[in-house]
Amino acid sequence: MLTLHRVSGVTAPDGRTVPGHAVVVDGTRFAAVGPYEELLAEYGGRARVREWAGVLTPGRYEPDAVALLESTYWPDPREADDLGTAPLTGADLDRLAMTDTRWAASARRGVQRLLSTGTTALAGPFTRPPVRTAVARSGLRVSPVAPPATGADADFAVLTPDGTCLTTVIAGRLLFRRR
């Protein structure tokens, strides 16, 4: 399926923002990058159009992912009365009985937090099996991030001028959308 993502601008490989540009995603890859009007003329009748009020950028690469997912507990909102809502590390983490089930749930919540910041790739490797499984199922890549280019994997984020992530897309799949 073709999707045309209309944005305020696209981050070019040299880091500058090119206004008025958009991208076309075909399945898991970028099919085209260019001026929105040209892409609409070429693909508009065949593509679903998504509009985002932000700049399309390469997704974030999180170099501290192992610490964030394997040495940090991300509390469940239902635990807020007992544990609060902030991530727990060190001595706070040591007092919890961390089973594989609890690590898996924490990792899933941590992955959601990373996706909400525009993260599309992580540094690994992950040694805890429940964390490794959560990362694998999420679609996050354990690799560096590349800028949008025709034929490349359709991994990107759309950010507002203040840096708020509107959406995170990995392999053409919309994995996070701010409501």
Side-chain angles (χ1 to χ4, degrees):
M1 166 172 238
L2 291 172
T3 304
L4 173 59
H5 293 272
R6 181 181 190 180
V7 291
S8 303
V10 173
T11 302
D14 63 7
R16 66 186 172 83
T17 299
V18 183
H21 273 48
V23 298
V24 175
V25 175
D26 185 1
T28 63
R29 302 224 174 250
F30 288 111
V33 178
Y36 171 72
E37 297 301 330
E38 290 177 18
L39 296 179
L40 182 63
E42 185 174 344
Y43 296 96
R46 303 179 287 145
R48 168 181 49 194
V49 177
R50 291 192 182 268
E51 297 196 24
W52 308 103
V55 175
L56 188 139
T57 67
R60 283 185 58 246
Y61 176 70
E62 181 52 68
D64 296 325
V66 173
L68 290 170
L69 298 176
E70 293 198 339
S71 300
T72 304
Y73 180 70
W74 299 87
D76 186 300
R78 296 170 291 190
E79 299 173 311
D81 290 342
D82 296 328
L83 301 176
T85 57
L88 303 175
T89 59
D92 292 329
L93 180 63
D94 292 341
R95 67 184 174 91
L96 297 175
M98 293 302 293
T99 63
D100 279 353
T101 301
R102 199 166 205 178
W103 274 118
S106 172
R108 287 190 300 272
R109 290 187 294 273
V111 161
Q112 283 301 310
R113 297 258 183 117
L114 290 169
L115 288 169
S116 75
T117 65
T119 300
T120 59
L122 311 171
F126 299 96
T127 57
R128 293 185 190 278
V131 173
R132 195 168 44 243
T133 299
V135 169
R137 288 181 178 170
S138 73
L140 284 165
R141 299 182 191 274
V142 182
S143 63
V145 176
T150 301
D153 290 327
D155 297 354
F156 62 90
V158 177
L159 307 177
T160 63
D162 71 359
T164 301
C165 179
L166 298 175
T167 188
T168 303
V169 174
I170 300 175
R173 289 180 45 224
L174 184 67
L175 294 179
F176 171 79
R177 176 178 26 197
R178 184 151 317 275
R179 302 216 183 265

